[in-house]
Amino acid sequence: MAPKGDNVVVPNMKLENLLSMKGGKGASSYANNSQAQARHARSMFHLLKETLDGVQLSSPEEPFVVVDLGCSSGTNTIFMVDAIIKHMTKRYEVSGHEQPEFSAFFSDLPSNDFNTLFQLLPPLTNIDGGSMEECLAADNHRSYFAAGVPGSFYRRLFPARSINLFHSAFSLHWLSQWDHQVPESVLDKTSAAYNEGRVFIHGANEKTTNAYKKQFKSDLSSFLRSRSKEMKKGGSMFLVCLGRTSQDPTDQGGAGLLFGTHFQDAWDDLVQEGFISREKRDSFNIPVYASSLQDFRQVIEAEGSFGINKLELFKGGSPLVVNQPDDAAEVGRALANSCRSVAGVLVDAHIGDQLSEELFLRVERRAANHAKETLEQLQFFHIVASLSFT
Amino acid sequence: MAPKGDNVVVPNMKLENLLSMKGGKGASSYANNSQAQARHARSMFHLLKETLDGVQLSSPEEPFVVVDLGCSSGTNTIFMVDAIIKHMTKRYEVSGHEQPEFSAFFSDLPSNDFNTLFQLLPPLTNIDGGSMEECLAADNHRSYFAAGVPGSFYRRLFPARSINLFHSAFSLHWLSQWDHQVPESVLDKTSAAYNEGRVFIHGANEKTTNAYKKQFKSDLSSFLRSRSKEMKKGGSMFLVCLGRTSQDPTDQGGAGLLFGTHFQDAWDDLVQEGFISREKRDSFNIPVYASSLQDFRQVIEAEGSFGINKLELFKGGSPLVVNQPDDAAEVGRALANSCRSVAGVLVDAHIGDQLSEELFLRVERRAANHAKETLEQLQFFHIVASLSFT
């Protein structure tokens, strides 16, 4: 596997959301991450286009409304929304329909850095003057109204029948339970689902894994139900999230390797070395679930509001950004950064900044010691869903 | 005049927007300011209610959409929006109409702290479960969808025909020219409108004042034109901003006293003491304009989109929050704080934090030396406009 190939964005997408960028994160490292994300977004755009081509065109009296759910605060969401609106503008043009006004909602949890996002937004073109051609030619401007919406996408976010297109990339594998929490039973010592000795469900016992699976399915169902209220007739939805190839949910694939090997071992190190108690470790769990395609399909069909145009599992590649694949130290750092960009804020909150630093040092060291396997084995798979509402 | 009477909110409303709260701003002082704002909002609510009673009720298929323009990032905007939606809910109830869904947009410049605002928003009640009665009973929840909209209200912010009610308090007296800038001619040494020797138009020459006036009228007209595109038929608008009693625009009333006396003298001190050059002082101007009622009316009538239900000048009171009116030092501090809460960020940007500190020390000292007159004379007047779109 070529680590410089298709980089996958799961951890990096959330970087600005979850990781406070203080100390130890050079601009170059961030620039690298951004490039990987942008490349990935482009590589998936042909799939998104099929969805866009299926959306019913709105009448010119009402706006065409696009939503990015789990937008984070970087330039990727702006890039995607821009590409979506440019594509739709072309469709209106080709079909001879009058152009509607476009409106975009950027949504994420209230803890997201909306200030940064809003400052990255290009200024609005003069909607009232100028033609749509001028709007599109003005590269440093946006041709849509923009708003930020704070809230959990597992509940309602928008008025009924107000949205034409929902887009969500790399967010739906986060469990809800209000802002990324694992099921209660997983943290309950008296429960059979107690995840003793582990910080993720990869390789955990069946009861723990089933508690995750149950919550994932219930979350996805709530997500679909909420969207079905909000969507206009003829609207579409394009979703990308972590998936897995195995039928067995205790094999979490790429996420399993990211959180079930060096990261797990580093927690065990902290226990062994007397930094934290076993209980402290066992009360930490990564609230991520990589679903099988079958389970994902089953939830959509059982919920029943959406038709499935496309539902596939794609090989995404590695989340690691590595310039020198032979440099074990760099591979170690890349894995630790990947891990930290997803879980850093959660770890900080659980054991404090200093112990968190110790933990990720150990992740880095362990990954460096297994650089070759880490590079070869760490692979993400993505569920891509194109749904329509009729 | 009783300084503890009706406190006016012009400077404090913008406190969180314009003033970074580092250093020298105790929690108690902020709490005082918040109380004053809340009291003021309540005192004006009966005027707002008249406007609300004139808004055409929407059909239950479409949401009822409220916008606060110039919302800042505090609890006041949430208080106002909540009060507006509670009042409208009651109107729907009394009229026997089915309740629509409610939606609120909080809008301000992109530099506004939307993160803080979003974290202050109460959680959404379960819109799909529960009755509207339950929603209203749930005091710590909101019964409306919320979104933040970054941008200048002197241009378009929302899709056409999408808004039922616009509310804007203490923002329209800020000149546009992209984010609070004065007209160019005022800063141009070769122009007859060059505001030599002064940092505000209070007492300035006629040409300078006319440049401000012209821009204010053009701004207000742009504001109305944009809103007229965005508003649904039957919608209403409630506006409050600084106004003045004098026909002469070089007499800016309360704003004139705030920026044309001790604040002006403190700039002159910095020049005298050799801290800054005359040119540095003269290139700073407060981008605020208190309009006369006549000019305000003329712009509305000339623009022509809105009918005037009410347009009046109200005596607002003093912006100073003072517990001991006889304590000259406290009066000095209050005036300096008031000044700083409006102009602090602009001053910091112009001469740096350290000289800004020096400046406001001099404002404080000078105001303390004239505590009695300061308390007696500092009075704000507000233009209150209730407009409807038919």
Side-chain angles (χ1 to χ4, degrees), chain A residues 154-160 222-230, chain B residues 101 124-132 134-135 145:
Chain A
Y154 294 120
R155 303 190 77 181
R156 289 284 302 279
L157 292 165
F158 304 95
S222 302
F223 174 88
L224 295 169
R225 196 166 53 249
S226 295
R227 299 299 84 73
S228 74
K229 299 272 169 61
E230 297 163 353
Chain B
E101 291 182 336
L124 188 65
T125 37
N126 192 348
I127 296 263
D128 291 327
S131 64
M132 188 51 67
E134 282 172 332
C135 286
F145 301 108

Side-chain angles (χ1 to χ4, degrees), chain B residues 106-154:
Chain B
F106 298 87
S107 185
D108 211 319
L109 291 170
S111 56
N112 185 50
D113 185 0
F114 285 95
N115 286 350
T116 297
L117 175 63
F118 287 173
Q119 271 147 37
L120 288 171
L121 272 179
L124 188 65
T125 37
N126 192 348
I127 296 263
D128 291 327
S131 64
M132 188 51 67
E133 284 68 35
E134 282 172 332
C135 286
L136 292 172
D139 249 359
N140 292 320
H141 286 72
R142 65 185 151 94
S143 54
Y144 55 89
F145 301 108
V149 175
S152 165
F153 54 42
Y154 294 120

Side-chain angles (χ1 to χ4, degrees), chain A residues 63 101 103 105 110-115 118-119 121 124 126 128 145-150 155-160 229, chain B residues 63 101 103 105 110-115 118-119 121 124 126 128 145-150 155-160 229:
Chain A
E101 290 183 335
S103 170
F105 290 97
S111 56
N112 184 52
D113 185 1
F114 284 95
N115 287 351
F118 287 172
Q119 271 148 38
L121 273 179
L124 188 66
N126 193 347
D128 290 325
F145 301 108
V149 175
R155 303 190 77 181
R156 289 284 302 279
L157 292 165
F158 304 95
K229 299 272 169 61
Chain B
E101 291 182 336
S103 172
F105 289 97
S111 56
N112 185 50
D113 185 0
F114 285 95
N115 286 350
F118 287 173
Q119 271 147 37
L121 272 179
L124 188 65
N126 192 348
D128 291 327
F145 301 108
V149 175
R155 302 190 75 181
R156 288 284 303 277
L157 292 165
F158 304 95
K229 299 272 169 63

